[in-house]
Amino acid sequence: MCKHILNAQVSIRSPCCRKWFDCIECHTETQKHALLEAPEMTFACKKCKKCFRKDPKEFEEADEYCPHCDNHFVLDAVTPKAAISVESEDVRVDNRMLRDDRVNPAEAKRQITIFDPDLEADKLG
């Protein structure tokens, strides 16, 4: 997976070293040479796993799709952003991490149950 572009839909085969990369920045980080320009680039669709060639100089709107599965691979690049968050389990299964604003904070501190002997002792009997 590419750490530069989160939604990379194709892999690019570099014409200089014949290796596959998710983006040009991945090539420049791992290789010591510059990316060689070629008249035709080889791509591999990550959806259907088939390869195809495109001319980067004559790139049209119809060339933004995989010729085999019509996957739209020219998308706006989503780059990762730093964020601080709390990771938990799925809240639909275990919602203890969520705070309910409808509960009174004073009552939330003192949870009254039917097994509390102090309050229920007078009512029994």
Side-chain angles (χ1 to χ4, degrees), residues 28-54:
T28 55
E29 279 186 0
T30 58
Q31 305 299 317
K32 295 181 179 177
H33 58 274
L35 185 65
L36 180 70
E37 290 186 21
E40 195 172 64
M41 297 291 290
T42 305
F43 299 98
C45 179
K46 290 187 176 183
K47 184 176 179 183
C48 66
K49 309 285 191 259
K50 293 184 181 179
C51 296
F52 56 94
R53 295 176 186 228
K54 296 280 183 186

Side-chain angles (χ1 to χ4, degrees), residues 79-124:
T79 55
K81 296 178 183 172
I84 297 175
S85 63
V86 177
E87 294 184 11
S88 68
E89 298 294 324
D90 189 6
V91 294
R92 293 172 289 180
V93 176
D94 184 15
N95 60 1
R96 290 180 290 172
M97 295 287 291
L98 300 178
R99 188 183 75 170
D100 191 3
D101 292 331
R102 298 174 292 178
V103 176
N104 188 356
E107 291 178 11
K109 289 181 183 177
R110 175 78 174 127
Q111 293 285 333
I112 300 172
T113 65
I114 60 170
F115 302 107
D116 195 356
D118 297 333
L119 300 174
E120 299 296 328
D122 296 334
K123 295 181 182 177
L124 297 175

